[in-house]
């Protein structure tokens, strides 16, 4: 009705000879305008209600999504926090249980890390049809562990080796046996080559050996550090954990500047804050642990009790010494001297490496995971990923600690020299005795031969 009226009105306006009088035409035009205005207002109100309803639904969905997101985030933080505290508590418990338990834990972690990396290669390269691949991977793991742990037994358990005849044979020909075992695995690999899988099989052969180099070799260095004294095991691991936590906290609260593209969540603020926090933490921890023989004495084997001992006269780096401060520091602090354990100074270098270079182990692991488009090495620990995700920096730190001890701390080890002497033939031992006796007499440390005769 309204459309026809409006159309008629327009026709009347355009036609001067219209049969309708002027008054009806004006009345019809006014009615049509009112009808159009009413229709427009109704449409506007309907559109406004629809828009408001849509906006409300959108806000409700947005709030629901945000609520779910924050619930998930805080739940993830809660899981990570609880499991982190559980792992730290477990770490202290393992330390309390002694060196044997620590060695077993290191071996377990090593095997699990190896399994995670080998499984990634197995899945990424679709190695399901390769003959003997997983069997050979685990065989090479056994061979390498036999070699490294055999070296450890020969170095640190000489008294036990001398007492047991089978161990003497194994210690004497240890490296030959290790090489023979490896050759057997090498020959098995060559015999397993299949024409249609040549390239893939060599990929996986290289994958296995690189994994052995990264995981097994460096985990062996962890055990070597442990035998130098539990403090060389506890402090490096603890400062890496501290740096990881403090860098995360500083980055979470103050992080603004991205550090590296491989890890978008890493920031310069977290990196710098983690460095200073780790140095302070390592300095305090070194002071606390240096006071106890249990932590500073090398781990040895007692043949009488058939157990490990951690009793000794602490070396100089674990004895409190007085240091004169530089003149600038004296003028600032009004102190001339300060009493420190030398190991506290060494802890500064260890903490600096853990904070500045150690994170690159994590960056390396991040690049590895990005290369194969995976988020974590595994899902062993909820909220943390796999075991390898937690130990990517620890292995690099263990290698540095071993090199640091060998370069700046460790001197000739009399116990190892004695163990090697005991493995010689009686004639050789007697010859060395006479040579050493003459040498000490020439230096004046023993009385001359004629004085001894009188």
């Amino acid at each position: 009705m309204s459309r026809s009226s409006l159309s008629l009105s327009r026709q009347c306006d355009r036609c001067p000879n219209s049969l309708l009088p002027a008054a009806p035409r004006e009345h019809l035009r006014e009615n049509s305008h009112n009808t159009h205005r009413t229709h427009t207002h109704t449409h506007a109100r309907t559109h406004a209600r629809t828009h408001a309803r849509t906006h409300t639904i959108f806000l409700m969905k947005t709030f629901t999504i945000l609520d779910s997101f924050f619930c998930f985030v805080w739940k993830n933080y809660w899981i990570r926090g609880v499991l982190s505290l559980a792992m730290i508590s477990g770490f202290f418990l393992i330390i309390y249980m002694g060196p044997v338990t620590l060695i077993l834990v290191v071996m377990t972690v090593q095997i699990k890390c190896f399994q995670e990396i080998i499984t990634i290669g197995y899945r990424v390269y679709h190695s399901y049809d390769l003959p003997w691949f997983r069997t050979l991977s685990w065989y090479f793991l056994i061979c390498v562990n036999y070699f490294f742990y055999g070296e450890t037994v020969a170095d640190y358990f000489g008294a036990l080796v001398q007492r047991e005849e089978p161990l003497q044979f194994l210690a004497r020909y240890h490296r030959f046996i290790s090489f023979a075992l490896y050759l057997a695995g090498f020959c098995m690999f060559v015999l397993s080559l299949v024409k249609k899988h040549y390239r893939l099989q060599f990929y996986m052969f290289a994958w296995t050996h690189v994994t052995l180099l990264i995981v097994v070799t460096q985990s062996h260095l962890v055990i070597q550090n442990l035998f130098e004294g539990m403090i060389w095991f506890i402090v490096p691991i603890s400062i890496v954990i501290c740096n990881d936590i403090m860098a995360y906290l500083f980055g979470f609260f103050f992080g603004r500047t991205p550090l590296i593209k491989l890890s978008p969540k890493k920031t310069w603020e977290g990196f710098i804050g983690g460095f200073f926090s780790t140095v302070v933490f390592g300095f305090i921890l070194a002071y606390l642990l240096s006071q106890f023989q249990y932590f500073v004495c090398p781990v040895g084997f007692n043949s009488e009790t058939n157990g490990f001992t951690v009793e000794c006269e602490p070396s100089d780096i674990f004895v409190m010494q007085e240091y004169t401060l530089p003149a600038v520091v004296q003028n600032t602090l009004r102190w001339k001297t300060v009493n420190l354990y030398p190991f506290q100074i060494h802890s500064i270098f260890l903490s600096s490496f853990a904070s500045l270079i150690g994170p690159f182990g994590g960056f390396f692991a991040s690049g590895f995971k990005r290369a194969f488009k995976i988020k974590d090495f595994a899902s062993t620990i909820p909220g943390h990923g796999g075991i390898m995700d937690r130990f990517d920096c620890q292995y690099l730190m263990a290698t540095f600690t071993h090199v640091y001890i060998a370069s700046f701390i460790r001197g000739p080890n009399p116990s190892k020299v004695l163990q090697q002497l005991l493995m010689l033939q009686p004639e050789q031992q007697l010859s060395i005795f006479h040579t050493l006796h003459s040498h000490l007499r020439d230096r004046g440390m023993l009385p001359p031969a004629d004085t001894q005769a009188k």
Side-chain angles (χ1 to χ4, degrees):
M1 183 65 181
S2 60
R3 291 184 180 178
S4 60
S5 300
L6 182 60
S7 176
L8 180 60
S9 173
R10 289 175 179 172
Q11 290 177 7
C12 293
D13 288 338
R14 289 196 298 269
C15 182
N17 300 322
S18 176
L19 299 177
L20 291 175
R25 287 204 307 271
E26 293 297 331
H27 179 70
L28 183 60
R29 186 181 299 112
E30 183 177 355
N31 288 340
S32 66
H33 284 318
N34 290 338
T35 303
H36 179 68
R37 193 160 45 246
T38 301
H39 176 74
T40 302
H41 289 170
T42 303
H43 178 72
R45 285 195 299 272
T46 304
H47 178 72
R49 284 195 298 268
T50 303
H51 178 73
R53 188 181 300 108
T54 304
H55 185 65
T56 303
I57 294 173
F58 173 77
L59 289 177
M60 291 177 65
K61 289 184 177 180
T62 302
F63 286 134
T64 302
I65 293 172
L66 289 176
D67 182 65
S68 301
F69 172 76
F70 283 113
C71 286
F72 171 78
V73 170
W74 284 110
K75 181 180 178 181
N76 189 40
Y77 287 156
W78 174 256
I79 294 174
R80 287 175 64 93
V82 170
L83 288 176
S84 297
L85 292 176
M87 287 188 289
I88 293 173
S89 302
F91 178 64
F92 286 117
L93 178 61
I94 292 168
I95 292 172
Y96 173 78
M97 295 176 70
V100 176
T101 306
L102 286 172
I103 293 173
L104 294 176
V105 169
V106 171
M107 183 183 295
T108 303
V109 169
Q110 172 217 112
I111 293 173
K112 181 58 180 172
C113 291
F114 180 83
Q115 182 265 333
E116 290 177 357
I117 298 178
I118 288 297
T119 300
I120 291 173
Y122 186 72
R123 292 174 179 172
V124 169
Y125 288 105
H126 304 289
S127 310
Y128 312 110
D129 298 327
L130 293 185
W132 297 3
F133 164 64
R134 305 195 84 169
T135 303
L136 284 174
S137 297
W138 288 102
Y139 176 81
F140 283 126
L141 176 66
I142 294 172
C143 291
V144 175
N145 272 304
Y146 174 81
F147 171 75
F148 281 124
Y149 282 97
E151 294 285 312
T152 301
V153 170
D155 287 341
Y156 295 99
F157 300 88
L160 178 63
V161 171
Q162 288 298 316
R163 195 173 61 190
E164 302 292 338
E165 188 70 26
L167 291 180
Q168 291 182 23
F169 174 82
L170 293 175
R172 184 175 183 85
Y173 300 104
H174 170 68
R175 296 193 177 184
F176 180 81
I177 296 172
S178 301
F179 183 64
L181 290 173
Y182 178 81
L183 282 180
F186 178 79
C187 293
M188 284 191 291
F189 168 75
V190 174
L191 293 175
S192 70
L193 291 174
V194 179
K195 185 175 182 180
K196 60 180 180 179
H197 294 308
Y198 283 160
R199 181 177 297 181
L200 182 57
Q201 286 181 285
F202 279 102
Y203 279 159
M204 300 315 301
F205 184 78
W207 183 285
T208 300
H209 281 67
V210 171
T211 305
L212 292 172
L213 177 66
I214 293 175
V215 175
V216 182
T217 304
Q218 297 188 82
S219 65
H220 173 68
L221 299 182
V222 174
I223 296 176
Q224 293 284 316
N225 299 339
L226 172 63
F227 279 104
E228 295 296 329
M230 292 183 66
I231 196 169
W232 294 105
F233 175 85
I234 297 171
V235 170
I237 290 179
S238 299
I239 58 180
V240 169
I241 295 172
C242 174
N243 182 71
D244 191 27
I245 294 173
M246 298 309 297
Y248 174 79
L249 292 177
F250 273 92
F252 182 81
F253 290 106
F254 308 107
R256 295 292 183 275
T257 311
L259 175 63
I260 187 170
K261 292 183 179 180
L262 283 174
S263 297
K265 295 182 180 180
K266 304 290 185 182
T267 61
W268 276 104
E269 292 79 5
F271 186 75
I272 296 172
F275 167 72
F276 287 106
S277 301
T278 305
V279 171
V280 173
F281 172 79
F283 193 80
I284 296 173
L285 183 63
Y287 172 78
L288 295 175
L289 297 183
S290 297
Q291 303 177 46
F292 301 95
Q293 276 193 3
Y294 181 75
F295 297 117
V296 303
C297 290
V299 177
F301 180 79
N302 190 331
S303 58
E304 296 179 359
T305 61
N306 289 330
F308 288 98
T309 59
V310 284
E311 297 178 357
C312 68
E313 187 67 26
S315 63
D316 292 339
I317 65 171
F318 302 113
V319 177
M320 186 75 72
Q321 298 183 17
E322 186 178 62
Y323 294 90
T324 303
L325 296 174
V328 177
V329 180
Q330 291 183 21
N331 296 331
T332 304
L333 300 178
R334 306 299 181 185
W335 293 347
K336 292 185 178 180
T337 60
V338 62
N339 293 325
L340 294 173
Y341 291 103
F343 182 73
Q344 290 180 267
I345 300 174
H346 292 295
S347 74
I348 296 176
F349 295 100
L350 294 175
S351 299
S352 299
F353 181 88
S355 304
L356 301 178
I357 307 300
F360 281 84
F363 300 153
F364 177 85
S366 297
F368 179 88
K369 289 183 285 188
R370 286 178 176 272
F372 296 101
K373 298 179 181 180
I374 56 176
K375 184 178 183 296
D376 296 311
F377 283 95
S379 57
T380 308
I381 310 173
H384 291 270
I387 299 295
M388 192 63 196
D389 290 287
R390 295 296 91 202
F391 283 85
D392 47 10
C393 300
Q394 294 287 1
Y395 285 131
L396 187 62
M397 186 68 202
T399 304
F400 173 76
T401 303
H402 182 78
V403 173
Y404 188 88
I405 293 173
S407 302
F408 305 108
I409 304 299
R410 183 192 298 144
N413 192 331
S415 62
K416 289 187 177 181
V417 175
L418 182 60
Q419 289 174 11
Q420 291 180 346
L421 286 175
L422 293 175
M423 296 179 66
L424 299 177
Q425 298 296 324
E427 297 80 9
Q428 296 173 318
Q429 295 175 354
L430 188 60
S431 175
I432 292 174
F433 169 76
H434 289 304
T435 303
L436 181 61
H437 186 273
S438 300
H439 175 72
L440 294 176
R441 189 172 54 196
D442 293 341
R443 295 182 59 183
M445 300 180 68
L446 291 177
D450 55 350
T451 304
Q452 286 183 346
K454 293 180 180 179

